[in-house]
Amino acid sequence: MHAFNYHKASSVADASAKLAASDDSRLLAGGQTLIAAMKMRLSAPADVIDLGGIAELRGIKIEGASITIGAMTTHAAVASSNEVAKAIPALALLAGSIGDPMVRNMGTIGGSVANNDPAADYPAALVGLGATVVTSKRKIPADQFFTGMYETALEPGEIITSVSFPVPKRAGYMKFKNPASRYAMVGVFVAESASGMRVAVTGAGPSVFRITEMEKALAKSFSADALKGIKVPAENLNTDIHATAEYRAHLVTVMAQRAVDQALVK
Amino acid sequence: MPVRLSMTVNGKPVSADVEPRTLLVDFIRDTLRLTGTHIGCDTAQCGACTIHMNGVAVKCCNMLAVQAQGSTLLTIEGLAKEDGTMHPMQAAFRDHHGLQCGYCTPGMVMTAIDLLKRHPHPSEEQIRAELDGNLCRCTGYHNIVKAVQAAAKA
Ligand SMILES: Cc1cc2nc3c(=O)[nH]c(=O)nc-3n(C[C@H](O)[C@H](O)[C@H](O)COP(=O)(O)OP(=O)(O)OC[C@H]3O[C@@H](n4cnc5c(N)ncnc54)[C@H](O)[C@@H]3O)c2cc1C
Ligand code: FES
Ligand code: FES
């Protein structure tokens, strides 16, 4: 790892000022992705700004019909939250399925969302639930946030402060885990909300995407059978040592059906 | 610029100047000379480096030492009593042959203690799921699970 200057931010405003003062900096959240990237020298910032000491970025709040989760809230905190388990059980299950207990004790929702790994779990929940990403500058709807592989709508100097999830009528998440890393080879989040039906897929393509055909079918009948014949094309899906694009395309339909079953069990 | 670090490790206060890029595992092993915490992969996969920070299990190869500023750490060396009496989890690993070469053992024991805190009466399935982040190259998982089950009853 290359040497860098370490700065501990005391507030979001302080972190913003520190970002503005450097032309080569990185925010540090749980470090579960960033430290590995720095060890491999894929990332070698001159300044690292640690968000770990900012209390205002941690915590889970229920506000009316939505749940707001602070950017520095760990996956373990979301997975074990009674509020989340009650309002959006699929979200608690998703957080509890990330990596392993040690990764969940350090990794944060803000870091996961900002990183937008093509196989990360949270992007499916954000798009599946029609969440809003709140930053130090603005509010970004999830549909416009994830712009491509490891790319987001975040601008330089912008800090995610929280993610706000509307509470759905019902929702389910199923992933086919990569047996080594537990990342999603394919993960499908299905939700029925006031705003309609949503089906969001992670792990299969370069970035999370929705399947309108499945959403329409579920609007007619919210059942696994309604998705039976719906196939996604394998073109543009990922092929790697774990699975071919064709296999991922097949898994999308299977995982979507299981997610619907899970949403129905409740 | 070095950073002044202070924390509590196995009940004792420690402080030292570290370079910001120092990994917590290197600080523990090289500076504090607590070499019971192992490095099996250095890529956050194997769990051999698992310790407790502020009461929860973390992989200290995937953290900077500065991220542990002001925290309370517990490593494998902090488990046994002064007189050498083993922690019930250590004793269970010994009694049930939960180790072969022993390389993964410190991490396994630290994760297992963490899991019992959250699930005092775990099912076999729960134990296996909770040990997701710990690899045993000797593949002695069966007896590791037995040891955790025994420790849960101890
Ligand atoms: C062994 C292992 C298994 C894993 N398995 C899974 C899995 O199954 N599913 C899954 O989804 N993930 C998995 N992960 C990734 C894990 O969830 C990470 O915690 C997450 O991707 C990054 O979160 P972090 O808090 O560690 O962020 P960091 O690593 O600290 O930061 C990641 C990036 O986000 C930026 N960033 C962080 N916070 C903010 C913010 N508030 N605003 C703007 N930018 C920010 C950083 O600058 C950096 O570029 C795994 C990781 C490991 C090591
Ligand atoms: S050495 Fe830390 S997880 Fe392998
Ligand atoms: S006992 Fe040898 S690696 Fe687990």
Side-chain angles (χ1 to χ4, degrees), chain B residues 62-88:
Chain B
N62 204 28
M63 285 183 65
L64 300 172
V66 289
Q67 287 179 279
Q69 177 75 278
S71 65
T72 298
L73 304 187
L74 179 66
T75 71
I76 190 81
E77 289 89 347
L79 291 184
K81 293 206 184 111
E82 290 273 316
D83 67 1
T85 312
M86 284 190 196
H87 183 283

Side-chain angles (χ1 to χ4, degrees), chain A residues 106-204:
Chain A
M106 289 298 289
T108 68
I109 187 169
S112 174
V113 168
N115 196 49
N116 194 18
D117 189 297
D121 295 289
Y122 267 125
L126 267 73
V127 171
L129 291 165
T132 303
V133 179
V134 184
T135 77
S136 48
K137 296 184 176 163
R138 59 194 165 129
K139 292 185 175 174
I140 310 169
D143 284 332
Q144 290 154 36
F145 184 85
F146 302 102
T147 53
M149 193 180 260
Y150 295 108
E151 295 203 353
T152 68
L154 286 176
E155 286 163 6
E158 193 167 12
I159 303 171
I160 300 174
T161 54
S162 65
V163 180
S164 190
F165 295 92
V167 175
K169 199 173 140 200
R170 53 191 166 190
Y173 179 68
M174 267 295 167
K175 77 165 154 175
F176 193 91
K177 289 182 182 184
N178 173 322
S181 74
R182 322 292 171 190
Y183 271 102
M185 245 150 71
V186 167
V188 182
F189 202 102
V190 171
E192 179 179 5
S193 311
S195 60
M197 215 59 83
R198 279 172 175 262
V199 177
V201 181
T202 189

Side-chain angles (χ1 to χ4, degrees), chain B residues 38-49 59 61:
Chain B
H38 292 168
I39 303 175
C41 67
D42 193 30
T43 53
Q45 309 292 322
C46 77
C49 66
K59 290 174 173 174
C61 76

